[in-house]
Amino acid sequence: MHSRPLFAIVLLAIFGFLIQVQASPPPPASDLLKLNGPKEDAVYHVDDRIHIKVEFKGGKNNELYKSNTKIKFIIQKRIPMPDLNVVITTIKARDLYKAGEFVFEAKDKYVIEPQKTVADRIRASWDGGYSDSNGFHIEKK
């Protein structure tokens, strides 16, 4: 007879925990790597090449540079739970430092109709951190 109220209390506790975990804000962006560009709300078209300058805080003394960390570049919408979340490439930190920028081609598959009014962003992600670019838009020609 006492199992029903106990079950309800346990169930409520589990749901409360899940809601709290889901509502937690994401960790802040790292200052180890700064993505400079594109300009906020810039508009690109499919097949355009998009250049994103990178700046390593501390230059060659940067933790990412020293460990030659692999940095993953992801294109995604600037909203929670985006429909667009595609890995473009992974680059080692020293190669990225030497190049000074990340360049990619805008593809048709990056234009997501239900969320086309939401700005895109590039997220540079590595074990223990991330950095986001400004918001921009990709449109079909």
Side-chain angles (χ1 to χ4, degrees):
M1 289 187 71
H2 297 289
S3 65
R4 185 176 276 172
L6 180 62
F7 177 74
I9 290 171
V10 170
L11 195 59
L12 285 172
I14 291 171
F15 282 129
F17 175 75
L18 290 175
I19 288 171
Q20 181 181 4
V21 168
Q22 225 174 13
S24 299
S30 173
D31 65 348
L32 290 174
L33 181 69
K34 185 176 180 185
L35 303 181
N36 296 318
K39 290 184 180 178
E40 186 72 35
D41 291 325
V43 177
Y44 296 93
H45 295 93
V46 172
D47 297 329
D48 285 352
R49 292 177 55 80
I50 301 173
H51 296 259
I52 299 176
K53 303 281 184 193
V54 295
E55 181 182 327
F56 285 77
K57 181 180 180 181
K60 290 184 178 181
N61 292 323
N62 183 290
E63 178 183 316
L64 299 174
Y65 183 89
K66 285 181 177 180
S67 63
N68 204 19
T69 301
K70 289 184 179 179
I71 301 170
K72 186 185 316 180
F73 285 89
I74 305 164
I75 185 168
Q76 55 186 205
K77 294 293 184 180
R78 285 179 62 176
I79 56 174
M81 304 301 289
D83 286 345
L84 177 63
N85 197 26
V86 177
V87 175
I88 298 172
T89 192
T90 301
I91 303 172
K92 289 186 175 183
R94 290 182 188 157
D95 294 337
L96 183 60
Y97 180 86
K98 185 177 177 182
E101 67 178 356
F102 167 67
V103 181
F104 71 102
E105 186 175 303
K107 296 183 179 179
D108 192 48
K109 70 179 181 179
Y110 301 156
V111 180
I112 307 294
E113 287 302 322
Q115 295 180 349
K116 71 179 185 178
T117 59
V118 178
D120 300 303
R121 70 174 168 213
I122 295 297
R123 173 163 284 183
S125 174
W126 59 91
D127 190 26
Y130 72 92
S131 183
D132 290 334
S133 73
N134 291 328
F136 60 94
H137 298 273
I138 298 174
E139 298 177 350
K140 292 183 179 182
K141 288 185 176 183

